[in-house]
Amino acid sequence: QVQLVESGGGVVQAGGSLRLSCAASRSIFSINAMGWYRQAPGKQRDLVAIITRSGSTNYADSVKGRFTISRDNAKRTVYLQMNSLKPEDTAVYYCAADYTVRYWGQGTQVTVSS
């Protein structure tokens, strides 16, 4: 079993920045991938950004150039730096870790006011 604890969510004005963190209870050094997903009210959960074991990254088109995913293996933590936030970025953000199975965090609310 792996626990993922997210933090860093909050309320920010449009154009502002937030950094989300996801701390894992197990080493992420050899993990297949870790990612951030988001779910707005009444919508499905969508991929925002992912970082693989090799360090390659991929982003949703809607966040390219604004969001950056990174990881610190020593701290067992993955980050999502979110800049130039827009009201449409408002959602619950979830961290996911792909070991042999996928684990989810509890989610952290991000609210961007116009």
Side-chain angles (χ1 to χ4, degrees):
Q1 190 71 14
V2 177
Q3 282 75 48
L4 302 174
V5 179
E6 298 123 329
S7 60
V11 180
V12 64
Q13 288 188 333
S17 299
L18 286 173
R19 189 177 80 155
L20 305 183
S21 300
C22 173
S25 60
R26 188 192 295 179
S27 170
I28 65 170
F29 181 77
S30 60
I31 196 172
N32 292 323
M34 289 191 75
W36 287 95
Y37 294 73
R38 67 186 181 188
Q39 187 168 20
K43 296 188 177 181
Q44 66 180 19
R45 189 175 299 185
D46 292 325
L47 175 69
V48 175
I50 192 168
I51 185 166
T52 69
R53 182 187 306 178
S54 66
S56 62
T57 58
N58 194 29
Y59 298 90
D61 288 342
S62 59
V63 306
K64 284 180 180 177
R66 300 189 297 122
F67 291 11
T68 303
I69 189 170
S70 62
R71 70 182 186 202
D72 185 329
N73 289 340
K75 295 183 178 180
R76 303 195 305 266
T77 299
V78 171
Y79 304 97
L80 185 68
Q81 178 66 44
M82 305 186 295
N83 299 327
S84 302
L85 283 161
K86 304 175 181 180
E88 51 263 44
D89 294 319
T90 295
V92 178
Y93 284 70
Y94 296 91
C95 174
D98 292 339
Y99 291 85
T100 53
V101 297
R102 171 170 288 183
Y103 296 91
W104 291 95
Q106 81 286 355
T108 185
Q109 177 70 46
V110 171
T111 302
V112 184
S113 61
S114 57

